[in-house]
């Protein structure tokens, strides 16, 4: 522990979970990492790893994000004096930068206001991201000028108009900022950089499609190192089928629910964000472990997985058209992309006409924390690459702190 220095505390507040880590971005070592899950449910579960050892705790009452961050700071970090002594900054994942924030920034009152201004663009995320920020500002006043916000939307600043504009009256964009902003950018950018290293290609010459498949799921088309399209839109609701989010739907469904079924806008929002996707289709679960286990036995699981893959393969096929005549690789990442060979196999089998051929053995072997190639030699290369949003946020945080 003598060698500890320049540690960054990373907080990633999700809609119903908080991920955290303490790491040294220089040597990429993660000293502490963990997850608080099942916020707002009767029991919350906290698991963490510290210096290679695993710990867990169940909290037998319902807790919110502030409780979770307080627990992490007061019960886990407080006693780790070596870590606390060497903390030089705090990196926060913030989902939406809105129209005003284009890249990672040191947090001050103006930035807090901008994060609030973007609440309606990421209603499940920005408010809880801000709770994380406010809690660390209270708890670590000495580091108050070293809190950095890293935005999921930053990677999409160079989207061309053709992909970021919706075909609705132009003034909704000009006057109200309604456009595609994308999300998950930190992860897409991280695996894209990894791909450029694996392929030994300069980043600005990279033509790839990246699929981040987790509870939230999105896909990005990257051409000459620039993201030219992505599936999440004004908010993270658009695009692929997700754990509890619907992804793409005909907007008229909302009118139907409102006018014919007399549901309020808030009720409809709840249905589309929290009760749809894999959970809505199956009526059972949003956890992919259930679907993987039951795909061959349970009609609901089969249907849900097939719809998930159908949507994904359509996006991949569409994004190939944005590749300027060359695709260097297709990338799978995120909890599902990294761990579920079934998804990769079904999706790629739909794309054989376009030149994708999966290697079944390789596909089955690349799971549980492994990265690697899963395609045959005469296919477009398809890789599974482990994402590490916490490391990406820590690297970005250090860079911003050092700039000052
Ligand atoms: P997020 O960061 O969006 O919360 P993750 O990237 O952690 O999501 O992915 C969560 C999803 O990945 C869940 O559906 C979970 O069931 C699935 N998942 C994670 N590990 C496995 C595994 N070993 N086998 C099957 N599914 C898994």
């Amino acid at each position: 522990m003598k060698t500890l220095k320049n540690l960054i505390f990373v907080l990633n507040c999700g809609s119903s979970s908080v991920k955290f880590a303490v790491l040294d971005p220089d040597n990429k070592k993660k000293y502490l990492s963990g997850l608080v899950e099942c916020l707002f449910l009767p029991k919350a579960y906290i698991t963490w790893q510290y210096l290679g050892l695993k710990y867990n705790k169940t909290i037998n009452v319902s807790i919110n994000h502030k409780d979770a961050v307080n627990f992490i700071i007061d019960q886990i970090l407080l006693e780790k004096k070596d870590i606390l002594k060497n903390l030089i900054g705090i990196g926060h994942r913030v989902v939406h930068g809105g129209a005003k924030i284009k890249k990672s920034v040191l947090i001050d009152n103006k930035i807090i206001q901008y994060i609030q201004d973007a609440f309606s663009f990421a209603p499940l995320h920005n408010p809880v991201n801000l709770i994380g920020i406010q809690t660390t500002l209270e708890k670590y006043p000495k580091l108050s000028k070293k809190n950095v916000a890293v935005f999921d939307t930053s990677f999409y600043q160079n989207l061309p108009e053709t992909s970021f504009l919706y075909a609705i009256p132009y003034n909704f964009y000009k006057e109200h900022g309604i456009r595609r902003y994308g999300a998950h950018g930190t992860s897409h950018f991280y695996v894209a950089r990894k791909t450029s290293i694996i392929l030994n290609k300069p980043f600005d010459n990279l033509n790839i499609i990246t699929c981040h498949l987790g509870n939230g799921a999105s896909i990005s088309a990257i051409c000459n190192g620039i993201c030219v399209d992505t599936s999440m839109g004004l908010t993270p609701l658009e695009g692929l089928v997700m754990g509890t989010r619907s992804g793409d739907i005909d907007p008229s469904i909302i009118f139907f629910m409102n006018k014919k079924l007399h549901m309020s806008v808030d009720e409809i929002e709840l249905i589309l964000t929290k009760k749809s996707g894999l959970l809505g289709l199956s009526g059972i679960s949003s956890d992919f472990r259930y679907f993987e286990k039951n795909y061959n036995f349970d009609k609901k699981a089969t249907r849900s997985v097939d719809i998930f893959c159908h949507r994904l393969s359509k996006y991949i096929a569409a994004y190939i058209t944005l590749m300027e005549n060359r695709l260097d690789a297709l990338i799978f990442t995120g909890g599902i992309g990294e761990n579920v060979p079934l998804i990769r196999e079904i999706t790629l089998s739909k794309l054989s006409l376009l030149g994708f051929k999966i290697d079944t053995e390789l596909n089955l072997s690349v799971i549980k924390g492994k990265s690697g190639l899963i395609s045959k030699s005469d296919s477009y290369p398809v890789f599974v690459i482990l994402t590490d949003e916490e490391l990406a946020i820590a690297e970005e945080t250090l860079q911003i702190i050092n700039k000052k």
Side-chain angles (χ1 to χ4, degrees):
M1 292 289 274
K2 268 185 210 147
T3 52
L4 283 187
K5 67 177 174 62
N6 294 348
L7 299 183
I8 305 288
F9 173 32
V10 174
L11 257 190
N12 179 350
C13 292
S15 50
S16 61
S17 68
V18 177
K19 290 183 184 160
F20 60 97
V22 174
L23 29 75
D24 177 346
D26 285 333
N27 65 16
K28 304 194 192 306
K29 222 172 157 175
K30 227 174 244 180
Y31 294 96
L32 172 71
S33 64
L35 170 70
V36 187
E37 287 179 282
C38 303
L39 302 182
F40 306 108
L41 295 180
K43 287 181 183 187
Y45 302 95
I46 308 179
T47 47
W48 69 99
Q49 282 200 29
Y50 176 56
L51 301 175
L53 295 176
K54 290 185 178 169
Y55 302 84
N56 65 75
K57 183 168 172 63
T58 302
I59 297 187
N60 289 310
V61 291
S62 171
I63 62 168
N64 61 24
H65 289 84
K66 191 165 175 76
D67 300 326
V69 178
N70 279 333
F71 184 93
I72 295 162
I73 291 175
D74 295 337
Q75 310 285 325
I76 301 178
L77 271 177
L78 190 68
E79 62 179 32
K80 301 183 174 45
K81 305 276 184 249
D82 279 347
I83 283 192
L84 286 179
K85 247 186 352 214
N86 290 289
L87 273 190
I88 58 159
I90 303 176
H92 298 269
R93 177 201 185 195
V94 181
V95 165
H96 216 297
K100 298 215 178 79
I101 310 180
K102 309 228 176 285
K103 50 184 197 260
S104 307
V105 281
L106 275 178
I107 296 172
D108 58 18
N109 287 338
K110 189 177 73 186
I111 297 300
I112 288 178
Q113 184 58 52
Y114 289 164
I115 293 171
Q116 272 171 337
D117 291 346
F119 273 12
S120 53
F121 292 161
L124 299 183
H125 294 96
N126 269 34
V128 298
N129 298 153
L130 192 55
I131 289 171
I133 291 170
Q134 283 165 335
T135 312
T136 60
L137 287 175
E138 280 164 28
K139 293 273 183 187
Y140 297 120
K142 275 194 192 150
L143 290 174
S144 66
K145 298 211 160 39
K146 307 280 180 186
N147 278 250
V148 172
V150 178
F151 295 89
D152 271 27
T153 45
S154 302
F155 186 46
Y156 304 113
Q157 292 306 318
N158 295 316
L159 285 180
E161 241 184 20
T162 41
S163 86
F164 80 64
L165 276 182
Y166 292 107
I168 59 175
Y170 190 67
N171 67 313
F172 284 101
Y173 162 59
K174 268 302 184 213
E175 286 167 31
H176 304 287
I178 295 182
R179 52 160 281 181
R180 177 183 306 289
Y181 288 97
H184 282 156
T186 310
S187 173
H188 287 278
F189 183 42
Y190 179 83
V191 296
R193 278 184 293 156
K194 287 247 152 184
T195 309
S196 92
I197 295 166
I198 290 169
L199 297 178
N200 197 19
K201 255 180 187 286
F203 192 80
D204 61 8
N205 191 24
L206 199 62
N207 285 11
I208 60 172
I209 296 171
T210 49
C211 310
H212 176 108
L213 311 176
N215 273 319
S218 63
I219 174 166
S220 290
I222 298 161
C223 188
N224 296 321
I226 290 174
C227 185
V228 290
D229 207 350
T230 192
S231 58
M232 284 180 166
L234 174 72
T235 75
L237 183 55
E238 192 182 344
L240 301 176
V241 176
M242 306 182 221
T244 62
R245 278 174 253 165
S246 62
D248 296 336
I249 58 165
D250 179 344
S252 298
I253 293 171
I254 297 168
F255 317 145
F256 184 91
M257 288 176 166
N258 179 253
K259 289 182 182 162
K260 295 269 184 220
L261 306 180
H262 309 294
M263 295 170 69
S264 70
V265 171
D266 284 348
E267 284 170 322
I268 299 170
E269 186 174 13
L270 187 75
I271 296 280
L272 297 181
T273 54
K274 298 261 189 180
K275 300 193 172 181
S276 294
L278 294 166
L279 176 63
L281 283 168
S282 66
I284 293 175
S285 178
S286 62
D287 188 329
F288 225 91
R289 291 175 189 93
Y290 160 79
F291 296 95
E292 197 181 21
K293 209 164 123 204
N294 293 290
Y295 181 71
N296 290 319
F297 313 107
D298 174 350
K299 241 185 179 168
K300 288 177 186 157
T302 319
R303 181 199 298 138
S304 310
V305 169
D306 287 347
I307 293 171
F308 182 98
C309 295
H310 174 81
R311 178 96 47 94
L312 177 59
S313 64
K314 276 207 301 193
Y315 265 97
I316 295 170
Y319 282 1
I320 287 178
T321 66
L322 303 173
M323 286 297 125
E324 285 189 4
N325 302 325
R326 196 189 77 240
L327 176 68
D328 296 322
L330 172 70
I331 310 300
F332 285 96
T333 193
I336 297 169
E338 293 169 14
N339 290 297
V340 188
L342 177 71
I343 284 296
R344 304 181 310 222
E345 188 185 330
I346 299 174
T347 305
L348 291 179
S349 70
K350 291 171 185 293
L351 296 166
S352 56
L353 189 63
L354 293 178
F356 289 96
K357 291 183 192 158
I358 197 154
D359 183 314
T360 309
E361 237 169 78
L362 283 180
N363 185 37
L364 289 173
S365 70
V366 182
I367 47 168
K368 293 189 181 153
K370 286 190 208 148
S371 288
L373 184 75
I374 57 166
S375 53
K376 290 188 171 161
S377 55
D378 58 345
S379 163
Y380 284 125
V382 183
F383 291 94
V384 174
I385 296 185
L386 304 183
T387 194
D388 193 336
E389 285 169 289
E390 280 70 35
L391 175 59
I393 292 169
E395 287 174 343
E396 194 76 9
T397 301
L398 185 64
Q399 234 183 54
I400 299 288
I401 287 174
N402 284 343
K403 259 192 210 159
K404 274 299 268 187

